[in-house]
């Protein structure tokens, strides 16, 4: 049994673009596991539902949201848990790191107090013990002069240090599961490298499970064990990371990989963009939401719902929701030919 | 410093924009007893941009790349130095002459939603620079020109009567580009033109910029924090750190042989969407954060974070951009049509030749063993 098992998660919000009573679906039938000591990546662009998914797991969605399915953590369903019980889990067993530390840290409370607050609440540590522990945590996440920093306010820290302070708060109670939503997107690359290194160490050394939500395929390639690709609220592909990057089968996944400029790619090679925008979707019940942007789309992609199934050509576990997957080949040479003729 | 558009180091090339010693200092915050130290956002940059090329400026937040881009167009007034565009010294121009000169130089901004007036329809927004410069006079003529521009950036003519909020991010960026191109500039400074866009849409805009350059013979200064984007789009690249250019080379040379320790660590930090590469490469992790540009470190500005820092020179002598000598020889021959690879580091040769390893001293014999 995985530490976190999300099953058939669906989230909708009232007041879609249509009439008043209409619900707009943000996430539809999403399932995934996060194992202890592993990093599960959730990848997608804006509107894919990746962030809402993480908020739902933490019970942090507004009350107007309708949430279905289950999120079983250590055998207990977080979605069915009463708020009070959930408060005991949040911050202690499950912690979250958000993209923008400036909006999730309290600007009028010192960094030290924000860390000791968590410790005192969940571990019942004395003020003094919590203070010492907080200093150690800041040192552990690589903040220089940690004891002095404890007395400072968030605005006195640089962006990278704030994010590390957020991670320190998240780690305060040695959570079993860390949910990180675009944890390095607001950071510069050299600082991002430091933070990713730190998070990788955590998972390896402490056996923490991590759910990493990002749009950055590079970050995923370096850190995640399994990768789940979401599009318009549904899972379109999932595989172990080497498998996914070597043999992307869904047209959206392969399209994303072909559209990002790579630092190690020869110059002058033209990028292959995905036409249209993430807004150009059709409902999943009417076929594949990606069909309007997909070069391989035909009648098979419209009209009937497509299931998420095991890729029969894969040796390991590789799930796919596509009527016309990318032909199974080690992509190198044939892909080059396609580009030359294009 | 004197500007010399035909002088070294780019005498053999047709230079469109030439900057010498450009500095932008902002008044800093002092206290009752302390005189405010100026924030040295840009601190003495020399730059030549050749006609028809894309010059990439790359660096992390706070390095001064955006300020430099604005200073090149005199959108931010440089506190020192000269900027010569097509033989005209921009800093000497009176306001009206500068306004007329702006026809030659336009800017594309990061966030098209913030740079387009939400109450102006697309025709008015794209037509505004035409009106300001007295081009395509008459409503009918202007309307025709606006539709032509929309076609150029891949938007339907029907877009003219719609408002910015009706478009997606990528489409809005296309409108921003059409607006910049309306006056037929020769130079376009694009400041993070794709970083606000969805990954799948970025490539569309990058390809569009590339096509427009070929079609219209445009010269670009492309400012970005994303090295992969800069590597893909630029002919030559300048790497900035704390207000100065620390390395400049042709894109291919820079990526095949980065010389400055900052460039090395920057490139080693960029995640590559390939697990095989990610698993095998070695990261050069920097320690600490960017120092304040109000109180930059002495000597080499990077020495406080440099993994190759040496006990001599780094802390007290500011390195200048220079071409490297070959081991025991003079400057390397620049291949035909190529441009020099210049770097501002005292120890660049030793680092290139593997005599220095990260976090080791030059005087430590164990550290000089080949890698």
């Amino acid at each position: 049994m995985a530490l976190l098992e999300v099953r058939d998660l669906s989230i909708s919000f009232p007041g879609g673009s249509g009439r008043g009573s209409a619900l707009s679906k943000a996430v539809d039938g999403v399932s995934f596991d996060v194992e202890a000591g592993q990093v599960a990546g959730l990848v997608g662009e804006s509107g894919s539902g990746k962030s809402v998914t993480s908020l739902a797991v933490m019970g942090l969605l507004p009350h107007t949201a309708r949430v279905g399915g289950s999120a079983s953590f250590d055998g207990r369903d977080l979605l069915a848990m009463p708020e009070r019980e959930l408060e005991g889990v949040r911050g202690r067993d499950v912690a979250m790191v958000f993209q923008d530390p400036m909006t999730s840290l309290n600007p009028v409370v010192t960094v030290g107090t924000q860390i000791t607050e968590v410790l005192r609440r969940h571990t019942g540590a004395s003020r003094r013990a919590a203070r010492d522990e907080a200093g150690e945590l800041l040192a552990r996440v690589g903040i220089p002069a940690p004891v002095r920093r404890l007395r400072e306010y968030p605005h006195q820290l640089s962006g990278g240090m704030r994010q590390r302070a957020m991670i320190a708060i998240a780690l305060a109670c040695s959570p079993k599961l860390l949910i990180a939503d675009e944890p390095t997107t607001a950071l510069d690359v050299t600082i991002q490298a430091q933070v990713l290194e730190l998070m990788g160490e955590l998972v390896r050394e402490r056996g923490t499970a991590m759910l990493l939500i990002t749009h950055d395929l590079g970050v995923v390639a370096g850190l995640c064990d399994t990768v789940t690709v979401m599009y318009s609220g549904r899972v379109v592909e999932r595989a172990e990371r080497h498998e996914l990057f070597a043999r992307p089968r869904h047209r959206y996944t392969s399209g994303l990989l072909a559209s990002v400029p790579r630092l190690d790619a020869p110059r002058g090679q033209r990028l292959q963009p995905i036409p249209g925008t993430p807004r150009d979707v059709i409902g999943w019940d009417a076929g594949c939401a990606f069909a309007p942007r997909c070069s391989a789309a035909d009648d098979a992609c419209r009209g009937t719902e497509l299931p998420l199934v095991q890729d029969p050509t894969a040796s390991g576990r590789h799930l796919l929701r596509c009527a016309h997957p990318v032909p199974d080949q080690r992509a190198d040479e044939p892909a080059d030919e396609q580009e030359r003729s294009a | 410093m004197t500007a010399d558009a035909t002088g070294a180091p780019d005498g053999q090339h047709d230079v469109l924009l030439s900057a010498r010693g450009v500095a932008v200092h902002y008044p800093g915050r002092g206290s009752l007893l302390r005189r405010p130290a100026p924030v040295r956002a840009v601190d003495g940059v020399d730059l030549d941009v050749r006609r028809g090329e894309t010059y990439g400026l790359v660096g992390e937040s706070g390095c001064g790349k955006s300020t430099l881009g604005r200073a090149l167009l005199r959108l931010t007034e440089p506190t020192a130095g000269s900027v010569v565009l097509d033989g005209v010294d921009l800093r000497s121009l009176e306001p009206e002459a500068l306004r007329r000169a702006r026809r030659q130089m336009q800017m594309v901004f990061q966030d098209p939603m913030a740079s387009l007036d939400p109450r102006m329809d697309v025709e008015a927004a794209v037509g505004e620079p035409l009106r300001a410069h007295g081009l395509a006079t008459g409503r009918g003529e202007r309307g025709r020109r606006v539709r032509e521009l929309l076609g150029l950036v891949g938007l339907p003519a029907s877009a003219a009567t719609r408002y910015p909020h009706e478009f997606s991010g990528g489409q809005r960026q296309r409108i921003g580009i059409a607006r910049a191109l309306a006056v037929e500039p020769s130079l376009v400074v694009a400041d993070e033109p794709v970083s606000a866009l969805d990954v799948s849409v970025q490539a569309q805009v990058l390809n569009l910029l590339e096509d427009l350059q070929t079609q219209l013979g445009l010269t670009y200064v492309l400012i970005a924090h994303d090295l992969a984007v800069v590597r893909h789009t630029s002919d030559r690249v300048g790497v900035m750190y704390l207000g100065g250019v620390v390395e400049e080379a042709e894109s291919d040379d820079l990526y095949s042989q980065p010389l400055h320790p900052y460039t090395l660590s920057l490139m080693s930090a960029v995640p590559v969407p390939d697990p095989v590469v990610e698993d095998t490469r070695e990261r050069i992790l920097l320690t600490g954060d960017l120092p304040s540009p109000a109180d930059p470190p002495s000597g080499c500005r990077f020495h406080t974070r440099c993994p190759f820092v040496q006990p001599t020179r780094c802390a007290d002598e500011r390195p200048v951009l220079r071409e490297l000598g070959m081991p025991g020889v003079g400057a390397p021959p620049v291949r035909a049509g190529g441009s020099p690879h210049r770097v501002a580091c005292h120890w660049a040769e030793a680092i290139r030749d593997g005599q220095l390893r990260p976090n080791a001293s030059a005087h430590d014999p164990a550290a000089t063993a080949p890698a």
Side-chain angles (χ1 to χ4, degrees):
Chain A
M1 192 181 70
L3 183 67
L4 177 71
E5 292 182 351
V6 174
R7 289 293 172 272
D8 206 24
L9 179 72
S10 66
I11 305 163
S12 44
F13 294 94
S17 47
R19 285 177 300 277
S21 61
L23 284 174
S24 72
K25 265 186 195 164
V27 168
D28 190 9
V30 166
S31 303
F32 60 88
D33 291 346
V34 188
E35 307 268 357
Q38 294 221 326
V39 184
L42 213 51
V43 189
E45 297 178 282
S46 49
S48 63
K50 58 190 195 303
S51 291
V52 213
T53 298
S54 66
L55 291 174
V57 171
M58 289 289 279
L60 293 174
L61 286 174
H63 293 295
T64 51
R66 309 264 179 88
V67 181
S70 67
S72 144
F73 173 76
D74 238 357
R76 294 188 292 168
D77 185 4
L78 296 173
L79 301 185
M81 212 178 262
E83 182 63 27
R84 292 197 55 150
E85 204 179 323
L86 197 56
E87 279 169 10
V89 173
R90 254 192 326 239
R92 192 183 63 201
D93 297 326
V94 187
M96 193 154 179
V97 175
F98 298 93
Q99 172 175 354
D100 183 0
M102 207 50 197
T103 55
S104 36
L105 289 172
N106 188 336
V108 296
V109 176
T110 62
V111 172
T113 306
Q114 296 191 54
I115 303 177
T116 51
E117 194 178 27
V118 187
L119 287 166
R120 286 170 54 90
R121 183 192 164 102
H122 290 298
T123 66
S126 71
R127 195 176 296 269
R128 229 208 143 108
R131 198 93 198 152
D132 294 345
E133 173 80 29
E136 275 166 36
L137 280 164
L138 283 191
R140 161 134 186 79
V141 297
I143 292 185
V147 179
R148 179 165 61 88
R149 293 295 181 187
L150 287 176
R151 289 192 299 271
E152 295 190 343
Y153 291 88
H155 75 269
Q156 292 171 288
L157 307 182
S158 69
M161 270 202 272
R162 265 183 233 136
Q163 195 59 293
R164 275 174 274 175
M166 271 286 291
I167 294 176
I169 294 171
L171 299 184
C173 297
S174 308
K176 294 177 187 159
L177 173 67
L178 183 66
I179 299 179
D181 187 358
E182 302 272 11
T184 58
T185 305
L187 305 179
D188 278 318
V189 278
T190 56
I191 308 293
Q192 166 173 280
Q194 295 169 6
V195 171
L196 291 176
E197 190 83 7
L198 172 71
M199 299 205 309
E201 268 172 38
L202 264 168
V203 173
R204 282 191 302 273
E205 288 168 14
R206 294 200 185 182
T208 310
M210 183 152 97
L211 176 62
L212 177 78
I213 292 141
T214 180
H215 72 282
D216 189 330
L217 293 164
V219 170
V220 170
L223 198 58
C224 296
D225 296 291
T226 59
V227 188
T228 298
V229 183
M230 288 183 69
Y231 191 79
S232 192
R234 283 202 188 183
V235 174
V236 294
E237 187 163 18
R238 165 172 320 127
E240 178 274 326
R241 110 190 128 118
H242 282 281
E243 164 78 5
L244 187 90
F245 282 90
R247 292 190 345 121
R249 309 270 347 255
H250 197 280
R251 302 269 170 180
Y252 173 64
T253 315
S254 68
L256 268 187
L257 284 167
S259 70
V260 289
R262 278 176 59 155
L263 194 59
D264 58 349
R267 195 174 121 67
Q269 206 174 61
R270 201 165 160 83
L271 300 175
Q272 309 284 314
I274 301 176
T277 79
R279 281 192 195 175
D280 306 329
V281 288
I282 58 173
W284 280 110
D285 44 5
C288 174
F290 184 61
R293 304 177 70 190
C294 182
S295 57
D298 62 14
D299 290 345
C301 307
R302 294 189 177 88
T304 48
E305 228 176 295
L306 294 166
L308 185 69
V309 293
Q310 167 69 27
D311 172 11
T313 65
S315 47
R317 197 160 157 73
H318 190 151
L319 297 178
L320 185 65
R321 189 195 300 278
C322 182
H324 300 294
V326 178
D328 178 27
Q329 56 197 358
R330 289 277 160 178
D332 296 330
E333 279 154 39
D336 277 351
E337 269 165 35
Q338 278 167 17
E339 268 150 23
R340 261 180 240 121
S341 64
Chain B
M1 267 183 231
T2 54
D4 186 358
T6 57
D10 257 334
Q12 69 271 46
H13 296 281
D14 182 5
V15 173
L16 176 67
L17 179 84
S18 178
R20 288 292 173 273
V22 170
V24 181
H25 295 177
Y26 293 109
R29 262 185 311 183
S31 63
L32 192 62
L33 299 173
R34 205 163 50 91
R35 266 190 57 194
V39 174
R40 297 158 181 273
V42 177
D43 206 14
V45 170
D46 295 350
L47 203 70
D48 284 309
V49 180
R50 299 169 192 161
R51 203 179 293 275
E53 81 168 342
T54 299
Y55 187 96
L57 272 178
V58 70
E60 297 181 284
S61 46
C63 71
K65 57 190 190 300
S66 290
T67 309
L68 176 61
R70 297 176 62 88
L72 292 176
L73 302 184
R74 250 187 96 183
L75 290 171
T76 293
E77 198 67 48
T79 33
S82 70
V83 179
V84 175
L85 176 70
D86 219 357
V88 179
D89 183 354
L90 296 179
R91 286 203 69 203
S92 70
L93 296 180
E94 298 298 322
E96 177 53 25
L98 177 65
R99 196 189 71 78
R100 283 199 304 271
R102 294 215 179 281
R103 226 195 115 175
Q104 291 305 309
M105 47 187 193
Q106 289 289 311
M107 188 140 184
V108 173
F109 298 92
Q110 171 176 358
D111 182 356
M113 201 54 197
S115 51
L116 293 170
D117 186 335
R119 291 167 306 174
M120 241 185 201
D121 68 17
V122 170
E123 173 156 2
V126 176
E128 194 181 33
L130 293 172
R131 206 173 53 219
H133 288 277
L135 303 167
T137 45
R139 275 197 75 111
E141 175 58 25
R142 198 178 305 143
R144 261 198 302 284
R145 174 74 179 133
V146 166
R147 279 161 182 80
E148 187 183 302
L149 285 161
L150 291 177
L152 195 64
V153 297
L155 288 175
S158 61
T161 54
R162 290 159 63 193
Y163 288 83
H165 74 267
E166 298 177 62
F167 296 92
S168 68
Q171 289 168 323
R172 283 200 284 263
Q173 195 54 291
R174 286 171 194 268
I175 297 168
I177 293 169
R179 189 173 144 99
L181 296 181
V183 295
E184 299 172 50
S186 44
L187 175 73
V188 174
V189 174
D191 189 358
E192 299 279 8
V194 298
S195 57
L197 305 178
D198 262 314
V199 186
S200 69
V201 178
Q202 290 190 1
Q204 297 171 9
V205 173
L206 290 176
N207 282 351
L208 172 68
L209 286 171
E210 201 175 298
D211 293 343
L212 290 169
Q213 181 169 46
T214 318
Q215 217 174 325
L216 306 172
L218 295 168
T219 304
Y220 290 142
V221 172
L222 184 104
I223 300 164
H225 72 282
D226 186 328
L227 269 89
V229 166
V230 170
R231 188 240 194 297
H232 179 82
T233 48
S234 304
D235 298 294
R236 290 189 305 139
V237 179
V239 181
M240 286 187 75
Y241 184 78
L242 213 59
V245 174
V246 295
E247 184 163 4
E248 182 187 75
E250 286 195 7
S251 182
D252 287 336
D253 294 343
L254 185 78
Y255 289 93
S256 64
Q257 193 179 42
L259 294 171
H260 196 281
Y262 177 63
T263 317
L264 285 168
S265 53
L266 202 56
M267 294 208 349
S268 83
V270 176
V272 172
D274 184 342
V276 182
V277 176
E278 284 292 314
D279 287 355
T280 50
R281 73 203 192 129
E282 233 174 278
R283 285 233 152 84
I284 303 173
L285 286 181
L286 295 181
T287 50
D289 288 301
L290 196 70
S292 162
D295 183 21
S298 62
C300 173
R301 287 177 173 196
F302 187 54
H303 87 265
T304 51
R305 300 173 73 198
C306 182
F308 293 91
V309 66
Q310 297 302 311
T312 55
R313 299 187 77 189
C314 295
D316 37 51
E317 196 185 326
R318 189 169 181 189
V320 292
L321 268 185
R322 65 191 175 93
E323 284 178 54
L324 286 203
M326 294 297 271
V329 201
V334 174
R335 65 170 187 277
S339 358
H341 188 151
R342 300 190 299 153
V343 57
C345 172
H346 300 305
W347 302 95
E349 282 90 350
I351 292 167
R352 177 196 61 192
D353 300 339
Q355 289 158 14
L356 287 183
R357 306 286 302 149
N359 304 317
S361 162
H363 309 296
D364 177 359
T368 58

